[in-house]
Amino acid sequence: MRTTRTLAVAAAALAVAAAPTAAHAQAPTASVAYHGITSAQQVQKFQELSGKGYVPVSLSISSGPSYAGVWVKSSGVTWAMYQDMSAQGYQQRFDEYYAKGYQPTVVTATGSGDTARFAAVFVKKSGKFVARHNMTTAQLTAANADAVAKGLVLTSVDVYGTAAAPMYAAIWTANTSGVRSEVTVGKSYAEHDAEFKARVSNGYRPGYIAVGPGGTYTTVWRNDKISGWFEHTGMSSSGYQSRFNELKTDGYFPAQVNSEDGKYAAIWTK
């Protein structure tokens, strides 16, 4: 197992959602999604859904803090989730769970400096991975190139900091499927739209998307050619809900949701 440990710089007090829990449920047959909830409501969701055998597969913390998440039922998964952590608190939890054989599968952050807050999901599993946070744009780009050269692929990324000085938290895992993956960083809404059209015409789709401060988009593009998907960006909270309701009637459900500064981006699949 390989990981990169990036020392944090903040020293604010740690706040956790609840005691970590293991989830054991049926095969994936159901999903639950929510958005725009407070930290206290997120704790309630954790307690309710983990108790029913759900596992978080997408998690986003944005200014407020406000939470959005997607959970699925899944069997045989041992995991833990923590929220409202400082950068130092996230590093401490990473070190603690890495020593127990866990890997972070989702990391999300909002805010800047000592007020930045993190949330993360840790799953007990083996395999190569790299996890880093407090990266600048240049550092993210360099880290991604290095990870790809070593057979890894970006599977979780979020943007925090400020519009003038964005920071990144990310996770790379082994690219066992061999699917080609490319990353674009800090695109405006118009630039992302143009990138979307060009990438899709070349057989790629957005596999992961993060909204940054100031309304930028950092996107992982994959050429896995799944049968059905939708991506929508630049949505308000109500706009996201409208898209959710519309697509749900056609059998689509969010696979990943991300938000910052009241703007949402999401990817739906069947």
Side-chain angles (χ1 to χ4, degrees):
M1 181 182 296
R2 181 180 188 276
T3 183
T4 298
R5 301 188 183 192
T6 303
L7 294 178
V9 296
L14 172 66
V16 301
T21 182
H24 302 284
Q26 304 301 313
T29 56
S31 301
V32 173
Y34 54 81
H35 69 286
I37 66 172
T38 65
S39 290
Q41 291 170 326
Q42 171 66 19
V43 172
Q44 293 173 348
K45 288 291 186 183
F46 173 92
Q47 294 169 340
E48 171 194 350
L49 294 173
S50 63
K52 294 179 179 178
Y54 286 83
V55 178
V57 294
S58 175
L59 186 66
S60 174
I61 182 175
S62 57
S63 53
S66 176
Y67 282 88
V70 179
W71 297 56
V72 300
K73 279 196 171 182
S74 186
S75 62
V77 180
T78 302
W79 61 278
M81 182 176 74
Y82 289 90
Q83 69 179 65
D84 298 339
M85 296 177 287
S86 65
Q88 184 180 28
Y90 168 58
Q91 183 68 58
Q92 290 171 346
R93 289 297 178 187
F94 174 90
D95 293 341
E96 174 188 353
Y97 277 88
Y98 175 68
K100 297 176 181 178
Y102 288 71
Q103 299 181 18
T105 55
V106 181
V107 59
T108 176
T110 191
S112 61
D114 289 348
T115 64
R117 287 295 175 265
F118 290 72
V121 179
F122 300 90
V123 173
K124 193 167 189 178
K125 63 177 183 175
S126 61
K128 292 183 179 180
F129 78 98
V130 171
R132 293 186 60 184
H133 63 290
N134 286 348
M135 292 180 290
T136 64
T137 301
Q139 288 171 332
L140 172 69
T141 301
N144 185 66
D146 181 66
V148 170
K150 294 173 179 175
L152 305 178
V153 62
L154 186 59
T155 50
S156 176
V157 61
D158 205 7
V159 194
Y160 53 109
T162 66
M167 302 296 289
Y168 300 84
I171 302 165
W172 292 264
T173 57
N175 186 6
T176 56
S177 67
V179 170
R180 286 186 58 84
S181 178
E182 299 178 3
V183 181
T184 54
V185 180
K187 299 291 185 180
S188 68
Y189 180 86
E191 289 170 337
H192 175 77
D193 183 58
E195 194 77 40
F196 177 93
K197 294 173 182 175
R199 296 277 178 173
V200 171
S201 68
N202 287 320
Y204 284 77
R205 70 170 183 95
Y208 205 99
I209 186 165
V211 186
T216 62
Y217 297 91
T218 294
T219 311
V220 180
W221 306 92
R222 300 172 183 162
N223 70 342
D224 51 0
K225 300 178 177 63
I226 65 175
S227 58
W229 59 270
F230 284 92
E231 179 233 54
H232 290 286
T233 56
M235 298 175 288
S236 63
S237 176
S238 60
Y240 167 62
Q241 186 65 58
S242 295
R243 290 293 187 186
F244 177 94
N245 295 339
E246 171 190 341
L247 291 170
K248 187 177 180 181
T249 61
D250 292 328
Y252 289 86
F253 204 83
Q256 189 246 330
V257 182
N258 192 269
S259 176
E260 191 58 75
D261 296 336
K263 294 296 183 183
Y264 286 79
I267 298 167
W268 282 262
T269 59
K270 280 193 173 181

